Amino acid sequence: MEWLNFGAALTAFFASHAVPALPWVKTRAQARLGRAGYGAVFGSISLIVLVWVIVAAGQAPYVEIWPHYPWMRWVANIVMPVALLLLVLAIAAPNPLSFGGRRTGFDPEQPGLAGAMRHPLLWALFLWSAAHLLVNGDLAHGILFAAFAIFCLIGMSMLDRRRRRDLGQAEWHRLAARTSNLPRPWRILPALSWARLCLWAALWAAILAAHPHLIGVSPLP
């Protein structure tokens, strides 16, 4: 029964991202809800299904694939602050080429964070998935985090195709000329600000404090 629940949750997670992205579904939903309403509903459903799939993975029978070693937590504690930094820098940053960013205020000559990576939220989710895949060597979590990581990598090219279709070839190439799917970390510096760095530090501290209570295990080495 637990495996059935996990399979249903995982299927629902990918369906909740694939179905709303279909052009005819997105167009009708935005016509009824507006762009902001569509984003709010889509984001709420995605969050609910994400919680469901994580809880379902924790309830699935434990089948070990690889053992856990202390050094794995050190790796995860190095990777996760980077993932959270990308998350904090990406939210509401000018970036019409990916989700999570503002469509206004983007300068293709000085693309900011998009010049370091076109889809920073997907890279943040990929790093989160990879870090948690390493420290969770059981079958259910292996499937979960490996699926998330693959979804992120595939999603970048899917988003590019969707934005190219929506914007048109000429406009997409104009906006994307100084951006890249492959990370160029040395270009992150222009996107840094004290406000976002403080938010990042607070978020990382909050996650460290809440993780044992919400997930049931400390993330610290």
Side-chain angles (χ1 to χ4, degrees), residues 144-162:
L144 172 66
F145 291 118
F148 281 175
I150 294 170
F151 172 77
C152 293
L153 296 178
I154 295 175
M156 295 179 198
S157 59
M158 292 174 62
L159 262 177
D160 282 346
R161 288 196 298 270
R162 192 183 308 162

Side-chain angles (χ1 to χ4, degrees), residues 128-218:
W128 172 78
S129 304
H132 284 76
L133 176 62
L134 177 65
V135 297
N136 290 277
D138 63 289
L139 180 59
H141 286 96
I143 293 172
L144 172 66
F145 291 118
F148 281 175
I150 294 170
F151 172 77
C152 293
L153 296 178
I154 295 175
M156 295 179 198
S157 59
M158 292 174 62
L159 262 177
D160 282 346
R161 288 196 298 270
R162 192 183 308 162
R163 288 292 191 265
R164 190 182 291 113
R165 182 189 64 228
D166 294 343
L167 295 169
Q169 286 281 2
E171 180 65 3
W172 188 88
H173 282 294
R174 185 184 74 84
L175 295 174
R178 294 181 180 271
T179 67
S180 172
N181 267 343
L182 295 177
R184 297 182 286 190
W186 60 91
R187 294 195 175 187
I188 289 179
L189 291 176
L192 297 176
S193 69
W194 283 112
R196 290 189 183 254
L197 286 174
C198 290
L199 177 59
W200 165 67
L203 179 61
W204 177 227
I207 288 177
L208 287 178
H211 203 282
H213 306 287
L214 297 179
I215 308 301
V217 61
S218 173

